[in-house]
C-alpha cells in the first residue's frame, strides 16, 4: 500500500508540470493534430511518468553514487525466490504498453526492430540511472523490459496498424523525434521539478491520519 501511495504521489507531482507543457504544445507544435492524436501523445507522456515513478529515477536533490551491479543474466530468475520471479513478470508487463504505444502513435515505430531498440534504450537509461540511487543495476531488468516491449508490439500489431499514426513534419526536428522529446521532457521534469511538489505532499501525508492507515 505504501508503495502504491508513493508511486501515486510521484506521478501526480510530475503531471502537474506536464499538463501546462501539453497546453503549450497544443498551440505550437501540435496545431495540425486532431484531438485523438494529441490524446495519444498525452497518454504516452502519462505512461512514461508512471514508468519512471515505479522504477525510482534519481532527482537533482538526492544524487548519490552507489553502484550495485548484477551482470549475470537469468541466474536469479532461475534460482531466485517466488518474489523475485513475480518482480520479473512485473518488469515484463511494465514495458508491454511501450511496445504498443510507440507504433500506434508514430509511423516510424511501425518497425518492430526500431520499437524494440527504443525499449532497450529506455531500459538501459533507467538501469544506468540506478547507479545514482540505492537501487540495483540489473541486467535481468534490461532483458525483461526489452521482452515486454517486444510482446507489446506483437500482441497489439493487428490493432495498432489500423489506427492513425500521428503525422510528422520532417522539417521540425523536435517533432520528427517526438517520442524522444517527450521522454526527455518527462525525465527533466522528474529530475528537477517533481521533487519540489512530491516532498511537500509527503510532508502533508506523514503528518496526517492517512499515513497511519496505509503504513
Amino acid at each position: 500500500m505504501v508503495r502504491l501511495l508513493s508511486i501515486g504521489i510521484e506521478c501526480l507531482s510530475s503531471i502537474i508540470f506536464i499538463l501546462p507543457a501539453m497546453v503549450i504544445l497544443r498551440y505550437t507544435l501540435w496545431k495540425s493534430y486532431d484531438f485523438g492524436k494529441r490524446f495519444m501523445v498525452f497518454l504516452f507522456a502519462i505512461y512514461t511518468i508512471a514508468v519512471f515513478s515505479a522504477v525510482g529515477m534519481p532527482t537533482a536533490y538526492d544524487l548519490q553514487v552507489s553502484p550495485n551491479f548484477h551482470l549475470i543474466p537469468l541466474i536469479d530468475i532461475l534460482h531466485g525466490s517466488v518474489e523475485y520471479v513475480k518482480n520479473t513478470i512485473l518488469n515484463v508487463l511494465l514495458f508491454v504498453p511501450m511496445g504498443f504505444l510507440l507504433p500506434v502513435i508514430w509511423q516510424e515505430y511501425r518497425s518492430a526492430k526500431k520499437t524494440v531498440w527504443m525499449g532497450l534504450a529506455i531500459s538501459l537509461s533507467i538501469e544506468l540511472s540506478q547507479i545514482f540511487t540505492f537501487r540495483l543495476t540489473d541486467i535481468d531488468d534490461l532483458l525483461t523490459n526489452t521482452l515486454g516491449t517486444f510482446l507489446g508490439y506483437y500482441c497489439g500489431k493487428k490493432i495498432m496498424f489500423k489506427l492513425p499514426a500521428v503525422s510528422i513534419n520532417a522539417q521540425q526536428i523536435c517533432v520528427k523525434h517526438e517520442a524522444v522529446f517527450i521522454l526527455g521532457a518527462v525525465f527533466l521534469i522528474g529530475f528537477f521539478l517533481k521533487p519540489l511538489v512530491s516532498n511537500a505532499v509527503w510532508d502533508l501525508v506523514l503528518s496526517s491520519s492517512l499515513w497511519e492507515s496505509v503504513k
Side-chain angles (χ1 to χ4, degrees):
M1 188 66 178
V2 174
R3 179 62 178 157
L4 291 176
L5 176 62
S6 176
I7 292 174
I9 290 174
E10 297 294 306
C11 287
L12 290 175
S13 299
S14 289
I15 291 173
I16 287 173
F17 296 102
I18 282 290
L19 286 173
M22 292 296 174
V23 172
I24 293 172
L25 288 172
R26 160 68 179 86
Y27 293 101
T28 55
L29 300 179
W30 291 355
K31 284 183 177 180
S32 61
Y33 291 6
D34 60 27
F35 173 79
K37 293 176 181 179
R38 291 196 300 272
F39 175 78
M40 290 301 293
V41 179
F42 178 67
L43 182 63
F44 180 76
I46 298 301
Y47 162 71
T48 304
I49 288 172
V51 170
F52 287 174
S53 299
V55 300
M57 297 289 281
T59 73
Y61 312 99
D62 60 12
L63 287 178
Q64 183 170 343
V65 178
S66 180
N68 186 13
F69 297 100
H70 171 238
L71 301 178
I72 302 176
L74 306 180
I75 294 296
D76 287 344
I77 295 177
L78 297 175
H79 303 288
S81 64
V82 173
E83 191 64 30
Y84 190 89
V85 174
K86 184 191 299 184
N87 186 65
T88 297
I89 295 172
L90 290 176
N91 278 332
V92 174
L93 296 177
L94 184 66
F95 268 65
V96 167
M98 182 72 68
F100 178 82
L101 288 173
L102 282 170
V104 166
I105 302 171
W106 294 285
Q107 184 74 38
E108 61 185 299
Y109 291 102
R110 294 287 169 90
S111 160
K113 181 178 179 180
K114 191 158 188 177
T115 298
V116 171
W117 272 109
M118 175 62 102
L120 174 64
I122 295 169
S123 181
L124 180 60
S125 299
I126 290 172
E127 292 307 309
L128 291 177
S129 75
Q130 308 291 28
I131 295 173
F132 302 98
T133 68
F134 292 102
R135 289 173 175 263
L136 176 68
T137 299
D138 193 344
I139 191 171
D140 286 345
D141 290 351
L142 185 65
L143 296 175
T144 52
N145 291 160
T146 306
L147 175 61
T149 306
F150 176 84
L151 292 176
Y153 178 90
Y154 277 100
C155 287
K157 185 175 181 180
K158 291 184 179 180
I159 299 174
M160 70 177 65
F161 287 177
K162 295 178 182 179
L163 297 175
V166 174
S167 58
I168 295 171
N169 182 347
Q171 302 302 316
Q172 299 180 41
I173 190 67
C174 56
V175 177
K176 182 180 179 182
H177 302 290
E178 191 170 47
V180 177
F181 175 75
I182 295 295
L183 287 163
V186 169
F187 173 78
L188 290 175
I189 286 172
F191 190 73
F192 291 107
L193 300 177
K194 178 196 70 180
L196 302 178
V197 175
S198 62
N199 290 343
V201 173
W202 270 116
D203 287 341
L204 292 174
V205 170
L206 293 174
S207 62
S208 70
S209 58
L210 174 63
W211 178 244
E212 293 298 325
S213 64
V214 299
K215 71 177 181 178

